[in-house]
Amino acid sequence: MKHRIMTQMLSQRVRRFFALRFWSDWRTITAIYALLPLMTGLQKWGRWNMTYQIYKSVFWNTIHQLPLFDFYPYLNGDCNHYGPVFAYVIAPFALLPDSWGTLLWLCFLVGVFYVGVRCLPLQRWQQVFMFWFCLHEVLTPLFVEQYDLAMAGVYLLTFACVERKQPVWAAFLISLNVFIKLYGIMGLAFFFFIEDKKKFLVALLGWSVLFCVLPMLISSPEFVVQQYVGWYESLTLKNVDNMFDASTNTSLLGMVRKITHCASYSDLWLLVPGALLFLTPYRRIDQFRHPAFRYAFLAAVTMFVTLFSTGTESYGYIAPMTGFVIWYTTVPWQRSRLDLCLLIYAFIFTSLCTSDILFPRWIWVEWIKPYALKALPTTIIWLKLTWEMNTRDYGKLPLSHT
């Protein structure tokens, strides 16, 4: 009882803190998020990461009908893993000089994420909390110019479209995300929450056909078909290369693989049980009508897509960071002291572990990175979330925000 009272008091203090005019003023938050890409860009001016060059190559190689997934010397031994339609996404930036193109690309990434959070039908304090909670983690993909930041925003926007009964736009975002990066298929997890399913399916088919053939307008049909085959082959090869790579496979799959040092088993031994576990809450059809239950699915998607992908890198955790906030703040019951400890633990070991704020550098280099331990907090919270979705009543009390 004492612990419950203490947790409730702390939650109330957190709410009052973020209710202060300065912290909750949209002008403050907007200004800070607008400064993030500018500060990052100016700090890196002229010393850009190779990631932007890889992205830029998708556009120019499509124009000149050169293989999109080959290794080129000017890419320093790396290659592209994004679909042909990504050429249209990067085109406005690729046409500019590198310095300005990269700076505006960073602004675009933050902008998509910012709009995604603002469009979520959450209470003001919850959105404010999400912005502050994710602030440090937003910097991680910014420093390496990664699309993962925008992808996290697209997941939030997709869910917002579903909640706002906009199936055509939801289908647009899901289809675009899939044709850019296959992980986007997780957006289909919200299908059963869509009221007009027929309209959604028709729109999804239409958008998919459009995004499939759109690159042909700036190249040729034969070239694009070849690149889809090459895309499959490159992802298959990358999956093998990621197995013990220290900079990739920072996922649940990678954590198990790197701790055991075993290469003989298939990831399907984890993927199949994980997928089945993810699907178990769908049996609770009576809970679909509760907003809190639907938010729980959004949180589960942001965590699952990170935990069960061998391509997950340390800067790809911005999506589950948003999921932690949704998991903690949108349930219709009082969160326990354990839940609060899990949230703090996740913030420290997911976001701050990559910096020198709390951790000596050697802890990250010798322990967290080699064994993909950054995935551990997400794994624990995802398992607890799955248990809650299978056992708790999300409509028992009015939606609480404590």
Side-chain angles (χ1 to χ4, degrees), residues 234-245 310:
S234 74
L235 292 178
T236 303
L237 180 62
K238 186 174 186 290
N239 185 62
V240 176
D241 293 341
N242 286 341
M243 190 174 294
F244 291 106
D245 193 316
T310 60

Side-chain angles (χ1 to χ4, degrees), residues 208-309:
S208 297
V209 171
L210 176 65
F211 293 138
C212 182
V213 303
L214 204 57
M216 299 176 185
L217 299 181
I218 56 175
S219 56
S220 70
E222 296 78 14
F223 170 78
V224 173
V225 171
Q226 291 173 357
Q227 298 320 298
Y228 281 122
V229 175
W231 193 18
Y232 170 78
E233 293 173 348
S234 74
L235 292 178
T236 303
L237 180 62
K238 186 174 186 290
N239 185 62
V240 176
D241 293 341
N242 286 341
M243 190 174 294
F244 291 106
D245 193 316
S247 62
T248 58
N249 207 2
T250 311
S251 60
L252 172 58
L253 304 179
M255 184 171 62
V256 174
R257 181 81 67 179
K258 292 172 183 180
I259 290 175
T260 62
H261 292 286
C262 181
S264 59
Y265 70 89
S266 169
D267 281 333
L268 290 176
W269 286 105
L270 291 173
L271 275 170
V272 173
L276 293 175
L277 197 58
F278 177 84
L279 294 173
T280 52
Y282 281 111
R283 64 186 174 80
R284 306 187 71 196
I285 299 175
D286 60 313
Q287 295 287 317
F288 286 8
R289 68 181 184 276
H290 302 309
F293 187 76
R294 299 195 295 272
Y295 273 115
F297 255 108
L298 172 59
V301 166
T302 63
M303 298 179 205
F304 183 89
V305 73
T306 304
L307 290 175
F308 291 91
S309 167

Side-chain angles (χ1 to χ4, degrees), residues 48-58 74-75 98 102 145:
W48 304 109
N49 190 279
M50 187 53 58
T51 305
Y52 178 73
Q53 294 300 324
I54 294 174
Y55 292 165
K56 180 180 174 182
S57 72
V58 179
Y74 69 91
L75 297 181
D98 281 355
T102 310
E145 304 141 25

Side-chain angles (χ1 to χ4, degrees), residues 10-296:
L10 182 59
S11 296
Q12 290 172 351
R13 288 176 183 174
V14 170
R15 289 184 63 185
R16 283 197 296 268
F17 177 78
F18 285 108
L20 293 176
R21 185 172 181 178
F22 174 80
W23 300 108
S24 62
D25 193 323
W26 287 127
R27 290 173 296 181
T28 301
I29 296 173
T30 303
I32 290 175
Y33 270 77
L35 286 173
L36 286 180
L38 297 179
M39 292 188 301
T40 305
L42 292 176
Q43 181 182 351
K44 291 163 57 70
W45 191 269
R47 299 179 291 107
W48 304 109
N49 190 279
M50 187 53 58
T51 305
Y52 178 73
Q53 294 300 324
I54 294 174
Y55 292 165
K56 180 180 174 182
S57 72
V58 179
F59 172 73
W60 290 112
N61 286 345
T62 302
I63 292 290
H64 298 299
Q65 299 190 40
L66 297 173
L68 299 182
F69 308 102
D70 281 9
F71 290 85
Y72 292 95
Y74 69 91
L75 297 181
N76 291 348
D78 205 345
C79 70
N80 165 59
H81 297 290
Y82 289 71
V85 80
F86 187 70
Y88 283 91
V89 177
I90 198 66
F93 313 98
L95 292 169
L96 298 172
D98 281 355
S99 294
W100 287 105
T102 310
L103 180 61
L104 291 177
W105 171 250
L106 298 181
C107 294
F108 169 76
L109 297 177
V110 174
V112 174
F113 178 77
Y114 179 88
V115 172
V117 176
R118 286 296 302 269
C119 286
L120 279 179
L122 293 171
Q123 286 195 3
R124 180 191 182 98
W125 81 268
Q126 292 170 304
Q127 291 184 345
V128 170
F129 181 41
M130 184 176 293
F131 276 123
W132 288 111
F133 188 83
C134 296
L135 183 63
H136 181 267
E137 191 63 20
V138 166
L139 285 170
T140 309
L142 272 186
F143 275 117
V144 288
E145 304 141 25
Q146 280 289 344
Y147 178 74
D148 297 70
L149 182 57
M151 177 163 276
V154 172
Y155 281 125
L156 303 182
L157 281 170
T158 302
F159 182 82
C161 288
V162 172
E163 290 294 294
R164 298 174 189 274
K165 298 178 175 55
Q166 298 173 326
V168 175
W169 286 113
F172 168 82
L173 292 168
I174 292 172
S175 182
L176 178 62
N177 231 7
V178 170
F179 278 88
I180 291 176
K181 206 169 183 179
L182 291 180
Y183 309 147
I185 200 170
M186 286 301 298
L188 291 175
F190 310 134
F191 173 74
F192 293 103
F193 307 144
I194 297 173
E195 289 189 3
D196 195 339
K197 293 180 176 58
K198 182 178 179 180
K199 188 175 184 180
F200 170 80
L201 290 173
V202 171
L204 186 68
L205 177 61
W207 289 121
S208 297
V209 171
L210 176 65
F211 293 138
C212 182
V213 303
L214 204 57
M216 299 176 185
L217 299 181
I218 56 175
S219 56
S220 70
E222 296 78 14
F223 170 78
V224 173
V225 171
Q226 291 173 357
Q227 298 320 298
Y228 281 122
V229 175
W231 193 18
Y232 170 78
E233 293 173 348
S234 74
L235 292 178
T236 303
L237 180 62
K238 186 174 186 290
N239 185 62
V240 176
D241 293 341
N242 286 341
M243 190 174 294
F244 291 106
D245 193 316
S247 62
T248 58
N249 207 2
T250 311
S251 60
L252 172 58
L253 304 179
M255 184 171 62
V256 174
R257 181 81 67 179
K258 292 172 183 180
I259 290 175
T260 62
H261 292 286
C262 181
S264 59
Y265 70 89
S266 169
D267 281 333
L268 290 176
W269 286 105
L270 291 173
L271 275 170
V272 173
L276 293 175
L277 197 58
F278 177 84
L279 294 173
T280 52
Y282 281 111
R283 64 186 174 80
R284 306 187 71 196
I285 299 175
D286 60 313
Q287 295 287 317
F288 286 8
R289 68 181 184 276
H290 302 309
F293 187 76
R294 299 195 295 272
Y295 273 115

Side-chain angles (χ1 to χ4, degrees), residues 5-17 125 328 334-336 340 401-402:
I5 294 174
M6 289 176 61
T7 303
Q8 196 167 17
M9 290 175 61
L10 182 59
S11 296
Q12 290 172 351
R13 288 176 183 174
V14 170
R15 289 184 63 185
R16 283 197 296 268
F17 177 78
W125 81 268
Y328 188 82
Q334 177 64 47
R335 281 294 180 190
S336 66
L340 179 60
H401 304 284
T402 57

